[in-house]
Coordinates of all heavy atoms in Angstrom, one line a residue:
M1 N -10.3 -2.8 -1.4 CA -10.3 -3.9 -0.5 C -9.4 -3.6 0.7 O -8.4 -3.1 0.6 CB -9.8 -5.2 -1.2 CG -9.9 -6.5 -0.5 SD -11.5 -7.1 -0.3 CE -11.2 -8.6 0.6
L2 N -10.0 -4.1 1.9 CA -9.2 -3.8 3.1 C -8.1 -4.9 3.3 O -8.3 -6.0 2.8 CB -10.1 -3.8 4.3 CG -11.4 -2.9 4.3 CD1 -12.2 -3.2 5.5 CD2 -10.9 -1.5 4.3
T3 N -7.1 -4.5 4.0 CA -6.2 -5.5 4.4 C -6.7 -6.2 5.7 O -7.5 -5.6 6.4 CB -4.8 -5.0 4.7 OG1 -4.9 -4.1 5.9 CG2 -4.2 -4.1 3.6
I4 N -6.3 -7.4 5.9 CA -6.7 -8.1 7.1 C -6.2 -7.4 8.4 O -6.9 -7.4 9.4 CB -6.1 -9.6 7.1 CG1 -6.6 -10.4 8.2 CG2 -4.6 -9.6 7.1 CD1 -8.1 -10.8 8.1
E5 N -5.0 -6.6 8.2 CA -4.7 -5.9 9.4 C -5.7 -4.7 9.8 O -5.9 -4.5 10.9 CB -3.4 -5.2 9.1 CG -2.2 -6.2 9.3 CD -0.8 -5.5 8.8 OE1 -0.9 -4.6 8.0 OE2 0.2 -5.9 9.2
Q6 N -6.2 -4.1 8.7 CA -7.2 -3.0 9.0 C -8.5 -3.7 9.6 O -9.0 -3.1 10.6 CB -7.6 -2.4 7.7 CG -6.6 -1.4 7.1 CD -7.0 -0.9 5.8 OE1 -7.2 -1.6 4.9 NE2 -7.0 0.4 5.7
V7 N -9.0 -4.7 9.1 CA -10.1 -5.4 9.6 C -9.9 -5.8 11.1 O -10.8 -5.6 12.0 CB -10.5 -6.7 8.8 CG1 -11.7 -7.4 9.3 CG2 -10.8 -6.2 7.3
V8 N -8.8 -6.4 11.4 CA -8.5 -6.9 12.7 C -8.4 -5.7 13.7 O -8.8 -5.8 14.8 CB -7.2 -7.8 12.7 CG1 -6.8 -8.1 14.2 CG2 -7.5 -9.1 12.0
E9 N -7.7 -4.7 13.2 CA -7.6 -3.4 14.0 C -8.9 -2.8 14.4 O -9.2 -2.4 15.4 CB -6.7 -2.4 13.3 CG -6.4 -1.2 14.0 CD -5.5 -1.4 15.3 OE1 -5.1 -2.5 15.6 OE2 -5.2 -0.4 16.0
V10 N -9.8 -2.8 13.4 CA -11.2 -2.2 13.7 C -11.9 -3.1 14.7 O -12.4 -2.5 15.6 CB -12.0 -2.3 12.3 CG1 -13.5 -2.0 12.6 CG2 -11.5 -1.3 11.3
K11 N -11.8 -4.4 14.6 CA -12.4 -5.3 15.5 C -11.8 -5.1 16.9 O -12.6 -5.0 17.9 CB -12.2 -6.7 15.1 CG -12.9 -7.8 16.0 CD -14.4 -7.9 15.7 CE -14.9 -9.1 16.5 NZ -15.4 -8.7 17.8
R12 N -10.5 -5.0 16.9 CA -9.8 -4.7 18.2 C -10.3 -3.4 18.9 O -10.6 -3.4 20.1 CB -8.3 -4.7 18.0 CG -7.4 -4.8 19.3 CD -6.0 -4.7 19.0 NE -5.6 -3.4 18.5 CZ -5.5 -2.3 19.3 NH1 -5.7 -2.4 20.6 NH2 -5.2 -1.1 18.8
L13 N -10.4 -2.4 18.1 CA -10.8 -1.1 18.7 C -12.3 -1.2 19.1 O -12.6 -0.5 20.1 CB -10.6 0.1 17.7 CG -9.1 0.4 17.3 CD1 -8.9 1.2 16.2 CD2 -8.4 0.9 18.6
L14 N -13.0 -1.9 18.4 CA -14.4 -2.0 18.7 C -14.5 -2.7 20.1 O -15.3 -2.3 21.0 CB -15.2 -2.9 17.7 CG -15.6 -2.1 16.4 CD1 -16.1 -3.0 15.3 CD2 -16.7 -1.0 16.6
D15 N -13.8 -3.8 20.2 CA -13.8 -4.6 21.5 C -13.3 -3.7 22.6 O -13.8 -3.9 23.8 CB -13.0 -5.9 21.3 CG -13.6 -6.8 20.4 OD1 -14.8 -6.7 20.1 OD2 -12.9 -7.8 20.0
E16 N -12.3 -2.9 22.3 CA -11.7 -2.1 23.4 C -12.8 -1.1 23.9 O -12.7 -0.7 25.0 CB -10.5 -1.3 22.7 CG -9.4 -1.0 23.7 CD -8.3 -0.4 23.0 OE1 -8.4 0.7 22.5 OE2 -7.2 -1.1 22.8
G17 N -13.6 -0.6 22.9 CA -14.7 0.3 23.3 C -14.3 1.7 23.7 O -15.1 2.4 24.3
R18 N -13.2 2.1 23.4 CA -12.7 3.5 23.8 C -13.0 4.5 22.7 O -13.4 5.7 23.1 CB -11.2 3.6 24.1 CG -10.8 2.8 25.4 CD -9.5 3.4 25.9 NE -8.7 4.0 24.9 CZ -7.4 3.7 24.7 NH1 -6.8 2.8 25.5 NH2 -6.7 4.2 23.7
L19 N -13.0 4.1 21.5 CA -13.3 5.0 20.4 C -14.7 4.8 19.9 O -15.3 3.7 19.9 CB -12.3 4.8 19.3 CG -10.9 5.3 19.5 CD1 -10.0 4.8 18.3 CD2 -10.7 6.8 19.6
S20 N -15.3 5.9 19.4 CA -16.5 5.7 18.7 C -16.3 5.1 17.4 O -15.2 5.0 16.9 CB -17.2 7.1 18.4 OG -16.4 7.9 17.6
R21 N -17.4 4.6 16.7 CA -17.2 4.0 15.4 C -16.6 5.0 14.4 O -15.9 4.6 13.5 CB -18.5 3.5 14.9 CG -19.0 2.2 15.7 CD -20.3 1.6 15.2 NE -20.7 0.6 16.1 CZ -21.7 -0.1 15.9 NH1 -22.6 0.0 14.8 NH2 -22.1 -1.1 16.8
R22 N -17.1 6.2 14.5 CA -16.5 7.2 13.6 C -15.0 7.4 13.9 O -14.3 7.5 12.9 CB -17.3 8.6 13.8 CG -16.9 9.7 12.9 CD -17.6 11.0 13.2 NE -19.1 10.8 13.2 CZ -19.8 11.0 12.1 NH1 -19.3 11.4 11.0 NH2 -21.1 10.9 12.1
G23 N -14.7 7.4 15.1 CA -13.3 7.6 15.6 C -12.5 6.4 15.0 O -11.3 6.6 14.6
I24 N -13.0 5.2 15.1 CA -12.2 4.1 14.6 C -12.1 4.1 13.2 O -11.0 3.8 12.6 CB -13.1 2.8 15.0 CG1 -13.0 2.6 16.6 CG2 -12.4 1.6 14.3 CD1 -14.0 1.5 17.0
A25 N -13.1 4.5 12.5 CA -13.1 4.6 11.0 C -11.9 5.6 10.6 O -11.1 5.3 9.7 CB -14.4 5.1 10.5
R26 N -11.8 6.7 11.3 CA -10.8 7.7 11.0 C -9.4 7.1 11.4 O -8.5 7.3 10.6 CB -11.1 9.0 11.8 CG -10.5 10.2 11.2 CD -11.0 11.4 11.9 NE -12.5 11.7 11.6 CZ -13.3 12.5 12.4 NH1 -12.7 13.2 13.4 NH2 -14.5 12.7 12.2
A27 N -9.3 6.4 12.5 CA -8.1 6.0 13.0 C -7.4 4.9 12.1 O -6.2 4.9 11.8 CB -8.1 5.5 14.5
V28 N -8.3 4.1 11.5 CA -7.9 2.9 10.8 C -7.8 3.3 9.2 O -7.1 2.7 8.5 CB -8.7 1.7 11.0 CG1 -8.2 0.5 10.2 CG2 -8.7 1.3 12.5
G29 N -8.6 4.3 8.9 CA -8.6 4.7 7.5 C -9.5 3.9 6.7 O -9.3 3.6 5.5
V30 N -10.7 3.5 7.3 CA -11.7 2.7 6.6 C -13.0 3.6 6.6 O -13.1 4.6 7.4 CB -12.0 1.3 7.2 CG1 -10.7 0.5 7.1 CG2 -12.5 1.4 8.6
S31 N -14.0 3.2 5.9 CA -15.3 4.0 6.0 C -16.1 3.6 7.2 O -15.9 2.6 7.8 CB -16.1 3.7 4.6 OG -16.7 2.3 4.8
R32 N -16.9 4.5 7.5 CA -17.8 4.3 8.8 C -18.7 3.1 8.5 O -19.0 2.4 9.4 CB -18.6 5.7 8.8 CG -19.7 5.6 9.8 CD -19.2 5.7 11.3 NE -20.2 5.2 12.2 CZ -21.3 5.8 12.5 NH1 -21.4 7.1 12.1 NH2 -22.2 5.2 13.3
G33 N -19.1 2.9 7.3 CA -20.0 1.8 6.9 C -19.3 0.5 7.2 O -19.9 -0.5 7.6
T34 N -18.0 0.4 6.9 CA -17.2 -0.8 7.1 C -17.1 -1.1 8.6 O -17.3 -2.3 9.0 CB -15.8 -0.6 6.5 OG1 -15.8 -0.3 5.1 CG2 -14.9 -1.8 6.8
V35 N -16.9 -0.1 9.4 CA -16.9 -0.2 10.9 C -18.2 -0.8 11.4 O -18.2 -1.7 12.1 CB -16.5 1.1 11.6 CG1 -16.5 0.9 13.1 CG2 -15.1 1.5 11.2
D36 N -19.3 -0.2 10.9 CA -20.7 -0.7 11.3 C -20.8 -2.2 10.9 O -21.3 -2.9 11.7 CB -21.7 0.1 10.5 CG -21.9 1.5 11.2 OD1 -21.5 1.7 12.3 OD2 -22.4 2.4 10.5
K37 N -20.4 -2.5 9.7 CA -20.5 -3.9 9.2 C -19.8 -4.9 10.2 O -20.3 -6.0 10.5 CB -20.1 -4.1 7.9 CG -21.1 -3.7 6.8 CD -20.7 -4.0 5.4 CE -21.4 -3.0 4.4 NZ -20.6 -2.9 3.1
I38 N -18.6 -4.5 10.5 CA -17.8 -5.4 11.4 C -18.3 -5.4 12.7 O -18.4 -6.5 13.4 CB -16.3 -4.8 11.4 CG1 -15.6 -5.0 10.1 CG2 -15.4 -5.6 12.5 CD1 -14.3 -4.3 9.9
A39 N -18.8 -4.3 13.2 CA -19.4 -4.2 14.6 C -20.7 -5.1 14.7 O -21.0 -5.8 15.6 CB -19.8 -2.8 14.9
N40 N -21.5 -5.1 13.5 CA -22.7 -5.9 13.5 C -22.5 -7.4 13.0 O -23.4 -8.1 12.9 CB -23.7 -5.3 12.5 CG -24.1 -3.9 12.9 OD1 -24.1 -3.5 14.1 ND2 -24.4 -3.0 12.0
G41 N -21.2 -7.7 12.8 CA -21.0 -9.0 12.5 C -21.3 -9.4 11.1 O -21.5 -10.5 10.7
K42 N -21.6 -8.3 10.2 CA -22.0 -8.6 8.8 C -20.8 -8.6 7.9 O -21.0 -9.0 6.7 CB -22.9 -7.4 8.4 CG -24.3 -7.4 9.0 CD -25.2 -6.3 8.4 CE -26.6 -6.4 9.1 NZ -27.2 -5.1 8.8
R43 N -19.7 -8.4 8.4 CA -18.5 -8.5 7.6 C -17.5 -9.5 8.3 O -17.2 -9.3 9.5 CB -17.8 -7.2 7.4 CG -16.7 -7.2 6.3 CD -15.9 -5.9 6.2 NE -15.0 -6.0 5.1 CZ -14.0 -6.7 4.9 NH1 -13.6 -7.6 5.9 NH2 -13.2 -6.6 3.9
G44 N -17.1 -10.5 7.6 CA -16.2 -11.5 8.2 C -14.8 -10.8 8.4 O -14.5 -9.8 7.8
L45 N -14.1 -11.4 9.3 CA -12.8 -10.9 9.5 C -11.8 -11.4 8.6 O -10.9 -12.2 8.7 CB -12.3 -11.2 10.9 CG -13.2 -10.7 12.1 CD1 -12.6 -11.1 13.4 CD2 -13.3 -9.2 11.9
V46 N -12.0 -11.0 7.2 CA -11.1 -11.4 6.2 C -10.7 -10.2 5.4 O -11.4 -9.1 5.5 CB -11.9 -12.3 5.2 CG1 -12.2 -13.6 5.9 CG2 -13.2 -11.7 4.6
G47 N -9.7 -10.3 4.8 CA -9.2 -9.2 3.9 C -8.0 -9.6 3.1 O -7.6 -10.7 3.3
I48 N -7.5 -8.7 2.3 CA -6.3 -9.1 1.5 C -5.2 -9.2 2.5 O -5.1 -8.4 3.5 CB -6.0 -8.2 0.4 CG1 -5.8 -6.8 0.9 CG2 -7.1 -8.3 -0.7 CD1 -5.3 -5.8 -0.2
P49 N -4.2 -10.1 2.4 CA -3.1 -10.2 3.3 C -2.3 -9.0 3.1 O -2.3 -8.3 2.0 CB -2.4 -11.4 2.8 CG -3.1 -12.0 1.7 CD -4.2 -11.0 1.2
P50 N -1.4 -8.6 4.1 CA -0.5 -7.5 4.0 C 0.6 -7.8 2.9 O 0.7 -8.9 2.4 CB 0.1 -7.4 5.4 CG -0.3 -8.5 6.1 CD -1.5 -9.2 5.4
A51 N 1.2 -6.7 2.5 CA 2.1 -6.8 1.3 C 3.2 -7.9 1.5 O 3.5 -8.5 0.6 CB 2.7 -5.4 1.1
E52 N 3.7 -8.0 2.7 CA 4.8 -9.0 2.9 C 4.3 -10.3 2.6 O 5.0 -11.2 2.0 CB 5.4 -8.9 4.4 CG 5.9 -7.6 4.8 CD 4.8 -6.8 5.4 OE1 3.7 -7.2 5.8 OE2 5.0 -5.5 5.4
D53 N 3.0 -10.6 3.0 CA 2.5 -11.9 2.8 C 2.3 -12.2 1.3 O 2.5 -13.3 0.9 CB 1.0 -12.0 3.5 CG 1.1 -12.6 4.8 OD1 2.1 -12.5 5.5 OD2 0.1 -13.2 5.2
L54 N 1.8 -11.2 0.6 CA 1.8 -11.3 -0.8 C 3.0 -11.8 -1.5 O 3.1 -12.7 -2.3 CB 1.2 -10.0 -1.5 CG -0.3 -9.8 -1.3 CD1 -0.6 -8.4 -1.9 CD2 -1.1 -10.8 -2.0
L55 N 4.0 -11.1 -1.0 CA 5.4 -11.4 -1.6 C 5.8 -12.9 -1.2 O 6.3 -13.6 -2.1 CB 6.5 -10.4 -1.1 CG 6.5 -9.0 -1.6 CD1 7.4 -8.2 -0.9 CD2 6.8 -9.1 -3.1
E56 N 5.6 -13.2 0.0 CA 5.9 -14.6 0.5 C 5.1 -15.6 -0.3 O 5.6 -16.6 -0.6 CB 5.5 -14.7 2.0 CG 6.7 -14.9 2.9 CD 6.3 -14.9 4.3 OE1 5.8 -16.0 4.7 OE2 6.6 -13.9 5.0
R57 N 3.9 -15.3 -0.5 CA 2.9 -16.2 -1.1 C 3.3 -16.5 -2.6 O 3.4 -17.6 -3.0 CB 1.5 -15.7 -1.1 CG 0.4 -16.8 -1.3 CD -0.9 -16.3 -0.9 NE -0.9 -16.1 0.5 CZ -2.1 -15.9 1.2 NH1 -3.2 -15.9 0.5 NH2 -2.1 -15.8 2.4
S58 N 3.8 -15.4 -3.3 CA 4.2 -15.5 -4.7 C 5.5 -16.4 -4.8 O 5.8 -17.0 -5.7 CB 4.4 -14.2 -5.3 OG 5.5 -13.6 -4.8
A59 N 6.2 -16.4 -3.6 CA 7.5 -17.2 -3.6 C 7.3 -18.7 -3.2 O 8.2 -19.5 -3.3 CB 8.5 -16.6 -2.6
I60 N 6.0 -19.0 -3.0 CA 5.7 -20.3 -2.5 C 5.5 -21.2 -3.7 O 6.2 -22.2 -3.9 CB 4.5 -20.4 -1.5 CG1 5.0 -19.8 -0.2 CG2 4.0 -21.8 -1.4 CD1 3.8 -19.6 0.8
A61 N 4.5 -21.0 -4.5 CA 4.2 -21.8 -5.7 C 3.6 -21.0 -6.7 O 2.7 -20.1 -6.6 CB 3.3 -22.9 -5.3
Q62 N 4.1 -21.1 -7.9 CA 3.7 -20.4 -9.0 C 3.5 -21.2 -10.3 O 4.1 -22.3 -10.3 CB 4.7 -19.3 -9.5 CG 4.8 -18.2 -8.4 CD 5.8 -17.1 -8.9 OE1 6.1 -16.9 -10.1 NE2 6.3 -16.4 -8.0
R63 N 2.7 -20.7 -11.2 CA 2.6 -21.5 -12.5 C 3.7 -21.2 -13.4 O 4.1 -20.0 -13.6 CB 1.3 -20.9 -13.2 CG 1.0 -21.7 -14.5 CD 0.6 -23.1 -14.3 NE -0.6 -23.3 -13.5 CZ -1.0 -24.4 -13.0 NH1 -0.4 -25.5 -13.2 NH2 -2.2 -24.5 -12.3
C64 N 4.6 -22.1 -13.6 CA 5.8 -21.9 -14.4 C 5.4 -21.6 -15.8 O 4.8 -22.4 -16.5 CB 6.7 -23.2 -14.3 SG 8.1 -23.1 -15.4
P65 N 6.0 -20.6 -16.4 CA 5.6 -20.2 -17.8 C 6.3 -21.2 -18.8 O 5.9 -21.3 -19.9 CB 6.2 -18.8 -17.9 CG 7.3 -18.6 -16.9 CD 6.8 -19.5 -15.7
G66 N 7.3 -21.9 -18.3 CA 8.1 -22.8 -19.2 C 7.4 -24.2 -19.3 O 7.1 -24.5 -20.5
C67 N 7.1 -24.9 -18.2 CA 6.6 -26.2 -18.3 C 5.1 -26.2 -17.9 O 4.4 -27.3 -18.1 CB 7.4 -27.1 -17.4 SG 7.3 -26.8 -15.7
G68 N 4.6 -25.1 -17.4 CA 3.1 -25.1 -17.0 C 2.9 -25.7 -15.6 O 1.6 -25.8 -15.2
G69 N 3.8 -26.2 -15.0 CA 3.7 -26.9 -13.7 C 3.6 -25.9 -12.6 O 3.9 -24.7 -12.7
R70 N 3.0 -26.3 -11.4 CA 2.9 -25.5 -10.3 C 4.1 -25.7 -9.4 O 4.3 -26.8 -8.9 CB 1.6 -25.8 -9.5 CG 1.2 -24.7 -8.6 CD -0.3 -24.9 -8.2 NE -0.7 -23.8 -7.2 CZ -0.9 -22.6 -7.5 NH1 -0.8 -22.2 -8.7 NH2 -1.2 -21.7 -6.5
V71 N 5.0 -24.8 -9.5 CA 6.3 -25.1 -8.9 C 6.8 -23.9 -8.1 O 6.3 -22.9 -8.0 CB 7.4 -25.3 -10.1 CG1 7.0 -26.5 -10.9 CG2 7.5 -24.1 -11.0
F72 N 8.0 -24.2 -7.4 CA 8.7 -23.1 -6.7 C 9.6 -22.5 -7.8 O 10.3 -23.1 -8.5 CB 9.6 -23.7 -5.7 CG 8.8 -24.4 -4.5 CD1 8.6 -25.8 -4.5 CD2 8.4 -23.7 -3.4 CE1 7.8 -26.3 -3.6 CE2 7.6 -24.3 -2.4 CZ 7.4 -25.7 -2.5
M73 N 9.5 -21.1 -7.8 CA 10.3 -20.4 -8.9 C 11.7 -20.1 -8.2 O 11.8 -19.8 -7.1 CB 9.6 -19.2 -9.2 CG 8.3 -19.4 -10.1 SD 8.5 -20.5 -11.5 CE 9.2 -19.3 -12.6
P74 N 12.7 -20.1 -9.0 CA 12.8 -20.7 -10.4 C 12.5 -22.1 -10.6 O 12.9 -22.9 -9.7 CB 14.2 -20.2 -10.9 CG 15.0 -20.3 -9.6 CD 14.1 -19.9 -8.4
C75 N 11.9 -22.5 -11.6 CA 11.5 -23.8 -11.8 C 12.7 -24.7 -12.0 O 13.5 -24.6 -13.0 CB 10.6 -23.9 -13.1 SG 10.1 -25.6 -13.5
V76 N 12.9 -25.7 -11.1 CA 14.0 -26.7 -11.1 C 13.9 -27.5 -12.4 O 14.9 -27.8 -13.1 CB 14.1 -27.5 -9.8 CG1 15.1 -28.5 -10.0 CG2 14.2 -26.6 -8.7
Y77 N 12.7 -28.0 -12.7 CA 12.6 -28.9 -13.9 C 13.0 -28.1 -15.2 O 13.8 -28.8 -15.9 CB 11.0 -29.2 -14.0 CG 10.8 -30.0 -15.3 CD1 11.0 -31.4 -15.4 CD2 10.2 -29.4 -16.5 CE1 10.8 -32.1 -16.5 CE2 10.1 -30.1 -17.5 CZ 10.3 -31.5 -17.6 OH 10.1 -32.1 -18.8
C78 N 12.6 -26.9 -15.3 CA 13.0 -26.2 -16.6 C 14.5 -25.8 -16.5 O 15.1 -25.9 -17.6 CB 12.2 -24.9 -16.7 SG 10.5 -25.2 -17.2
E79 N 15.0 -25.6 -15.4 CA 16.5 -25.4 -15.3 C 17.2 -26.7 -15.7 O 18.2 -26.6 -16.4 CB 16.9 -25.0 -13.9 CG 16.8 -23.5 -13.6 CD 17.2 -23.1 -12.2 OE1 17.6 -24.0 -11.5 OE2 17.3 -21.9 -12.0
A80 N 16.7 -27.8 -15.2 CA 17.4 -29.1 -15.5 C 17.3 -29.3 -17.0 O 18.3 -29.8 -17.7 CB 16.7 -30.2 -14.8
V81 N 16.1 -29.1 -17.7 CA 16.0 -29.3 -19.1 C 16.9 -28.4 -19.9 O 17.6 -28.8 -20.8 CB 14.5 -29.0 -19.6 CG1 14.3 -29.0 -21.0 CG2 13.6 -30.1 -18.9
A82 N 17.0 -27.1 -19.4 CA 17.9 -26.2 -20.1 C 19.3 -26.6 -20.0 O 20.1 -26.6 -20.9 CB 17.7 -24.8 -19.5
H83 N 19.7 -27.1 -18.7 CA 21.0 -27.5 -18.5 C 21.4 -28.7 -19.3 O 22.4 -28.8 -20.0 CB 21.2 -27.9 -17.0 CG 22.5 -28.4 -16.7 ND1 23.6 -27.6 -16.6 CD2 23.0 -29.7 -16.4 CE1 24.7 -28.3 -16.3 NE2 24.4 -29.6 -16.1
R84 N 20.4 -29.7 -19.4 CA 20.6 -30.9 -20.3 C 20.7 -30.6 -21.7 O 21.6 -31.1 -22.4 CB 19.3 -31.9 -20.0 CG 19.7 -33.3 -20.5 CD 18.5 -34.2 -20.3 NE 18.1 -34.3 -18.9 CZ 17.0 -35.0 -18.5 NH1 16.2 -35.5 -19.4 NH2 16.7 -35.0 -17.2
G85 N 19.9 -29.6 -22.1 CA 20.0 -29.1 -23.5 C 21.4 -28.5 -23.8 O 22.0 -28.8 -24.9
A86 N 21.9 -27.7 -22.8 CA 23.2 -27.1 -23.0 C 24.3 -28.2 -23.0 O 25.2 -28.1 -23.9 CB 23.4 -26.1 -21.9
V87 N 24.2 -29.2 -22.2 CA 25.2 -30.3 -22.1 C 25.2 -31.0 -23.4 O 26.2 -31.4 -24.0 CB 24.9 -31.2 -20.9 CG1 25.8 -32.4 -20.9 CG2 25.2 -30.4 -19.5
A88 N 23.9 -31.3 -23.9 CA 23.7 -32.1 -25.0 C 24.4 -31.3 -26.2 O 25.0 -31.9 -27.2 CB 22.2 -32.4 -25.3
G89 N 24.1 -30.0 -26.2 CA 24.7 -29.2 -27.3 C 26.2 -29.3 -27.3 O 26.7 -29.4 -28.4
V90 N 26.8 -29.2 -26.2 CA 28.3 -29.3 -26.0 C 28.7 -30.7 -26.5 O 29.7 -30.7 -27.3 CB 28.7 -29.0 -24.6 CG1 30.2 -29.4 -24.4 CG2 28.4 -27.6 -24.2
E91 N 28.1 -31.7 -26.1 CA 28.4 -33.1 -26.5 C 28.3 -33.3 -27.9 O 29.2 -33.9 -28.5 CB 27.5 -34.1 -25.7 CG 28.1 -34.4 -24.2 CD 27.1 -35.2 -23.5 OE1 26.0 -35.5 -24.0 OE2 27.4 -35.5 -22.3
S92 N 27.3 -32.8 -28.6 CA 27.0 -33.1 -30.0 C 28.1 -32.3 -30.8 O 28.5 -32.8 -31.9 CB 25.7 -32.6 -30.4 OG 25.5 -31.3 -30.3
R93 N 28.5 -31.2 -30.2 CA 29.6 -30.4 -30.9 C 30.9 -31.1 -30.8 O 31.7 -31.2 -31.7 CB 29.7 -29.0 -30.3 CG 28.8 -28.0 -31.1 CD 29.2 -26.6 -30.8 NE 29.1 -26.2 -29.4 CZ 27.9 -25.7 -28.9 NH1 26.8 -25.6 -29.6 NH2 27.8 -25.4 -27.7
A94 N 31.0 -31.7 -29.6 CA 32.3 -32.5 -29.3 C 32.5 -33.7 -30.2 O 33.5 -34.1 -30.6 CB 32.4 -32.8 -27.8
A95 N 31.3 -34.3 -30.4 CA 31.3 -35.6 -31.1 C 31.7 -35.5 -32.6 O 31.6 -34.5 -33.2 CB 29.9 -36.4 -31.1
Ligands
ZN1 ZN1 9.0 -25.2 -15.5

């Protein structure tokens, strides 16, 4: 799968018109067929996001393994439950 950066770069070089499709394929590191598809509008300008984006995205919202909710990790709810449990444990021991 191509990254969105590769796809956009191919499109940019095509629009620029200085390199041949073969040259663009070599420069960007994609197949000649991919360049043809982008040139013919047969391939949308979509791709997997760059690595930084993937990291950022995973930091946005995840399925919490603890409560199953879609949350920002670390899960505040589970931390609160764990904290309450710890406090309750201390209190029950104190009582
Ligand atoms: Zn949770």
